[in-house]
Amino acid sequence: MLDLALIRNDRAAVEAALAKRMDSVDLSGVLARDEERREAITTVEKLKARRNQVSSEIPRLKKAGESVDDLLAEMKEVSSQVKELDARVRDLDQQIREELAGYPNLPTDDVVAGGKEANEVLRTWGEQPAFEFDTLHHVDLVKNLGLVDYERGVKM
């Protein structure tokens, strides 16, 4: 899976590398969800810090005999916001993971752009055998030999 920090820091290089293997590459959706996720995490952390601060103030105020009803109401609101934002962060994490899983690994710089048709033979070992009969694809071969029953496998 691609590293999100690499995409953030060098988007153009990642898109160029992925373009060697894919027709079109647009990482703007991933980056937008990542930015939204990061903002939500920042907001959640600020709310949690406020909640911790107020939690330490409440006993002090109670001991001083002051009313804490306003603070308790505020903390209920903060807690509900934290729950909503935590759920949103989890949802965004899942969306980002799913999209990144759809991209291939980055090819090295010496990889030729294109699909299998662009591959080059770098070296061979020995001579390629010449057969006096038509060769079969491996799928046809295992079906003919009865080694695999694809039709029954599909039904399972």
Side-chain angles (χ1 to χ4, degrees):
M1 185 182 301
L2 296 176
D3 182 20
L4 195 53
L6 178 63
I7 295 171
R8 250 186 256 128
N9 296 332
D10 201 0
R11 174 184 176 180
V14 172
E15 285 181 341
L18 289 176
K20 291 181 179 181
R21 292 290 183 205
M22 302 175 69
D23 293 334
S24 64
V25 179
D26 184 20
L27 298 173
S28 60
V30 171
L31 292 173
R33 279 187 284 286
D34 178 53
E35 184 63 30
E36 182 181 350
R37 178 186 152 274
R38 293 170 70 180
E39 288 173 4
I41 289 173
T42 302
T43 305
V44 165
E45 293 302 320
K46 287 179 182 177
L47 289 172
K48 287 180 180 179
R50 173 70 179 145
R51 183 174 60 189
N52 291 341
Q53 177 189 10
V54 170
S55 294
S56 64
E57 287 180 22
I58 289 176
R60 184 183 55 81
L61 292 173
K62 280 186 177 180
K63 189 174 185 181
E66 297 179 30
S67 174
V68 292
D69 294 336
D70 293 340
L71 288 176
L72 292 176
E74 179 188 350
M75 288 305 99
K76 283 185 181 181
E77 179 64 29
V78 166
S79 292
S80 68
Q81 288 177 350
V82 167
K83 285 181 184 178
E84 290 173 13
L85 288 171
D86 279 340
R88 181 66 183 148
V89 167
R90 282 191 302 276
D91 183 46
L92 289 168
D93 277 337
Q94 182 65 27
Q95 290 176 16
I96 291 169
R97 272 195 304 274
E98 287 175 3
E99 187 167 348
L100 289 179
Y103 292 111
N105 289 331
L106 295 179
T108 59
D109 294 334
D110 61 343
V111 171
V112 180
K116 289 182 180 180
E117 64 279 352
N119 289 347
E120 299 175 7
V121 177
L122 298 177
R123 61 184 160 275
T124 59
W125 183 265
E127 293 184 34
Q128 187 170 357
F131 299 103
E132 296 176 4
F133 54 87
D134 290 335
T135 58
L136 295 175
H137 190 271
H138 70 277
V139 173
D140 298 328
L141 187 61
V142 295
K143 283 171 66 174
N144 292 346
L145 293 174
L147 299 174
V148 176
D149 187 357
Y150 289 110
E151 288 75 25
R152 267 186 43 201
V154 168
K155 293 178 184 179
M156 293 177 80

